[in-house]
């Protein structure tokens, strides 16, 4: 075996397992198991998260300037998305896929696309997945809005599937904050947090 035919010792610990789950609310500091009401929908085919930078080369029109000179590279921004296929056909799932839409207040079975975009159409969305060591990986998509529209595919003897693409947006109130944030914790750290919580509870409610 060659001396470079090796892998990091923490390879297993850092593996992300299974498809994870989409959540409306999540607190990375506690990493508590999600409440059913926080789960956005059931999915199929996994979740695709992307965070892609867009750059400008300020030297591209400068005579004798080599392409991609690092001192003239300009970061324009980040394109951040969560794409998935939803199996849910609730009015909330349909509204999420449409983006700019309303659930009728009188007839709550009715969803209608809206001509104008409202600030309330934007909301944070979380993807959270398990790590092999018992920890978790989480991605927060800020100010998410469906930009892929509503697309339903049905199949004979199968389940209807809605393709959804959520895009994160920068807020005018926080213009330096990019729309995607990442978290990764180890199982050891989560076990320590859980143990601390248990000890605190035991101390405040001693067993007689």
């Amino acid at each position: 075996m060659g001396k470079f035919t090796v892998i990091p010792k923490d390879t297993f610990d850092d593996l992300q397992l299974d498809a994870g789950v989409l959540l409306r609310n999540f607190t990375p500091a506690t990493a508590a198991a999600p409440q059913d009401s926080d789960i956005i929908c059931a999915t199929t085919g996994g979740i695709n998260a992307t965070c892609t930078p867009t750059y400008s080369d300020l030297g591209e029109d400068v005579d004798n300037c080599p392409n991609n000179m690092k001192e003239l590279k300009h970061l324009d921004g980040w394109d951040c998305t969560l794409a998935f296929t939803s199996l849910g056909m609730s009015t909330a799932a349909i509204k999420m896929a449409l983006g700019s839409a309303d659930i009728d207040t009188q007839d709550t079975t009715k969803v209608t696309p809206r001509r104008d975009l409202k600030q309330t159409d934007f909301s944070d969305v979380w993807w959270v997945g398990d790590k092999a060591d018992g920890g978790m990986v989480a991605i927060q998509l800020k100010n998410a809005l469906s930009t892929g529209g509503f697309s339903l595919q049905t199949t004979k003897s199968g389940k209807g599937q809605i393709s959804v693409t959520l895009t994160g947006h920068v807020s005018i109130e926080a213009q330096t904050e990019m729309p995607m944030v990442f978290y990764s914790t180890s199982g050891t750290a989560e076990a320590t947090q859980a143990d601390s919580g248990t000890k605190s509870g035991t101390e405040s409610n001693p067993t007689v």
Side-chain angles (χ1 to χ4, degrees):
M1 180 175 177
K3 63 180 180 180
F4 296 112
T5 309
V6 294
I7 61 174
K9 294 180 180 179
D10 61 354
T11 295
F12 173 80
D13 294 342
D14 286 338
L15 294 178
Q16 191 278 310
L17 305 178
D18 297 318
V21 64
L22 293 167
L23 302 174
R24 296 180 180 87
N25 300 292
F26 183 69
T27 305
T30 59
Q35 299 293 319
D36 192 65
S37 59
D38 283 330
I39 300 176
I40 292 175
C41 63
T43 61
T44 184
I47 313 297
N48 180 252
T50 63
C51 187
T52 307
T54 55
Y55 293 103
S56 295
D57 183 357
L58 300 181
E60 65 180 355
D61 60 348
V62 177
D63 293 343
N64 305 321
C65 180
N67 290 337
N68 292 320
M69 182 174 286
K70 69 175 185 177
E71 288 82 2
L72 296 179
K73 199 80 167 181
H74 180 265
L75 177 60
D76 299 322
W78 294 86
D79 293 325
C80 303
T81 64
L82 284 175
F84 56 93
T85 301
S86 171
L87 295 177
M89 284 296 292
S90 66
T91 53
I94 295 171
K95 179 182 183 299
M96 175 186 64
L98 288 169
S100 180
D102 292 309
I103 299 175
D104 195 286
T105 56
Q106 301 299 318
D107 180 2
T108 56
T109 66
K110 178 181 178 182
V111 183
T112 306
R114 194 185 327 106
R115 172 64 181 83
D116 298 314
L117 186 64
K118 295 181 179 179
Q119 292 303 300
T120 53
D121 292 326
F122 298 86
S123 63
D124 288 3
V125 172
W126 291 82
W127 169 83
V128 186
D130 293 302
K131 286 177 63 176
D133 67 349
M136 65 86 192
V137 183
I139 298 175
Q140 180 188 20
L141 186 64
K142 294 184 176 182
N143 305 311
L145 178 74
S146 174
T147 53
F150 179 92
S151 176
L152 171 65
Q153 179 63 57
T154 64
T155 57
K156 181 180 179 180
S157 303
K159 299 179 286 291
Q161 301 179 2
I162 302 176
S163 298
V164 181
T165 299
L166 302 178
T167 300
H169 294 77
V170 177
S171 170
I172 197 171
E173 302 295 337
Q175 298 180 34
T176 59
E177 292 183 11
M178 295 302 101
M180 188 170 270
V181 184
F182 302 82
Y183 299 85
S184 179
T185 65
S186 67
T188 302
E190 292 193 14
T192 301
Q193 291 175 354
D195 185 58
S196 298
T198 302
K199 288 181 178 180
S200 297
T202 303
E203 290 172 0
S204 60
N205 298 286
T207 303
V208 179

